[in-house]
Amino acid sequence: MSSVPTFLSQQARQVAQSLLTAIEGTRAVVVATADGFDLVQVGYSGVEASRLAAMVSSFAALGDAASRESGLGTPRCLVIDSTDGRLMVRCMQVRDHAIIVVVVTDKTALLGLVWNHLAAAEKAMNAE
Amino acid sequence: MATLNHLKIVFTGTPGAGKTTAIGALSDTPPVVTDVRNTDASLGKENTTVGLDFGQVDLGDGQFVRLFGTPGQLRFEFMWQIIATDALGLVILIDNSRPNPLDDLAIYLDAYKDLLPTMSCAVGIGRTIECPLPTVDDFCDMLAARGLLFPVLAVDVRKREDVLTLVDTVLVQAEMRL
């Protein structure tokens, strides 16, 4: 079981809820620790947060390895563009804690908008 | 499909058993690691693998072995299957200092049960000096009870020669299957 500070779980819930509300076409938001534990899930209940958290932590780590291998530094965002929607994965550093925010959208959600909201969410979490 | 000059061997097993260390000890190139900070206090370690490990070793005569490591925790079981695709063999590493090492082995035997009949396999037991029980014979008996016959070796995965012995054991089995 993951042990993360209470403040982080609370911030994660607020961020997840605000992303769900703010971005049209969002089906669910999951916030996970970098080692694959789900902290928060909001939105569509058909998403199994514990499994998705483990999966996104794996490919966030793979993205990080590939990015370093390519001399590109630390990845900020990964996108899985699928036939029926997208997974947008943002790797965030909130103070000393690495977390991953996953936004599950349908095809109507605007990629740039999701990107902007995720970047703003990271700023807001670090400003609190 | 693996060919015998381009081989893929997968290291799996319990968290903390030394999969990343083993690949790092054997790889000729700096290994690819996907470790992140661990937040699970029960594991008692600072970092943990969440994606995969990768390294490669030149056996000479144009033979290369690609070494892949899986995450250990059960929540990453989906990666166990992905990484094992087209592998020639499997090395299962068990940490004998954990509470139930035999049960730990059973988890990985169950997870790979569909692949094991056609895959070479070796079991490496770590920390046997500090924790001598269960014995290597106990692990062999457990495998036999499941109708499996794989080499079981006490290993220190920090030692390159121990890891090489595990890989060699897998390769010998693979050659015998040809």
Side-chain angles (χ1 to χ4, degrees):
Chain A
M1 181 58 77
S2 177
S3 54
V4 298
T6 308
F7 85 86
L8 191 59
S9 298
Q10 289 170 343
Q11 276 192 317
R13 178 159 295 283
Q14 288 169 3
V15 160
Q17 194 59 56
S18 69
L19 288 169
L20 183 69
T21 308
I23 306 167
E24 194 173 332
T26 299
R27 293 167 57 191
V29 179
V30 172
V31 182
T33 62
D35 62 339
F37 289 103
D38 56 307
L39 293 175
V40 171
Q41 176 192 13
V42 296
Y44 176 54
S45 59
V47 173
E48 197 172 324
S50 60
R51 286 171 55 81
L52 188 61
M55 289 175 183
V56 295
S57 77
S58 286
F59 66 73
L62 289 168
D64 185 55
S67 186
R68 277 186 278 116
E69 193 75 15
S70 308
L72 297 177
T74 305
R76 289 180 299 188
C77 214
L78 298 100
V79 178
I80 298 177
D81 189 16
S82 304
T83 53
D84 298 328
R86 296 188 186 96
L87 280 169
M88 193 111 171
V89 179
R90 173 90 183 190
C91 308
M92 296 185 182
Q93 192 69 32
V94 180
R95 298 177 212 179
D96 286 341
H97 304 278
I99 61 167
I100 300 168
V101 180
V102 191
V103 181
V104 183
T105 74
D106 61 24
K107 291 295 274 188
T108 66
L110 298 173
L111 204 56
L113 190 64
V114 183
W115 181 290
N116 280 340
H117 275 289
L118 283 167
E122 183 173 11
K123 271 188 187 171
M125 289 179 86
N126 278 298
E128 283 182 24
Chain B
M1 180 62 74
T3 61
L4 271 186
N5 62 355
H6 205 107
L7 312 168
K8 176 180 178 181
I9 293 179
V10 173
F11 285 70
T12 193
T14 51
K19 300 175 290 296
T20 303
T21 302
I23 290 173
L26 190 56
S27 179
D28 294 330
T29 56
V32 174
V33 294
T34 58
D35 282 12
V36 299
R37 193 162 84 176
N38 170 50
T39 67
D40 183 353
S42 70
L43 285 186
K45 61 179 191 167
E46 190 172 347
N47 295 313
T48 190
T49 301
V50 297
L52 54 77
D53 301 309
F54 173 75
Q56 52 187 351
V57 59
D58 182 356
L59 298 180
D61 297 329
Q63 279 205 336
F64 290 86
V65 178
R66 295 180 300 146
L67 311 165
F68 288 79
T70 72
Q73 296 91 328
L74 196 55
R75 66 181 181 279
F76 295 111
E77 189 177 6
F78 66 94
M79 285 297 287
W80 301 355
Q81 305 301 326
I82 291 169
I83 293 171
T85 302
D86 288 340
L88 180 77
L90 187 70
V91 173
I92 304 175
L93 294 178
I94 298 297
D95 175 358
N96 227 26
S97 70
R98 282 170 56 93
N100 299 297
L102 291 170
D103 291 347
D104 287 340
L105 178 58
I107 289 171
Y108 298 92
L109 295 175
D110 288 342
Y112 290 102
K113 68 177 186 300
D114 293 338
L115 296 175
L116 287 175
T118 58
M119 188 183 264
S120 305
C121 183
V123 180
I125 313 298
R127 301 191 177 95
T128 54
I129 294 173
E130 309 93 301
C131 303
L133 296 177
T135 65
V136 166
D137 284 347
D138 292 331
F139 285 99
C140 291
D141 290 345
M142 183 218 177
L143 289 171
R146 288 173 168 249
L148 299 169
L149 183 62
F150 301 136
V152 180
L153 307 171
V155 292
D156 180 343
V157 292
R158 295 167 299 183
K159 295 180 178 171
R160 189 176 195 274
E161 59 268 31
D162 281 17
V163 184
L164 193 55
T165 301
L166 284 168
V167 168
D168 196 41
T169 304
V170 168
L171 293 175
V172 167
Q173 291 175 66
E175 284 178 6
M176 291 171 65
R177 287 173 185 267
L178 288 178

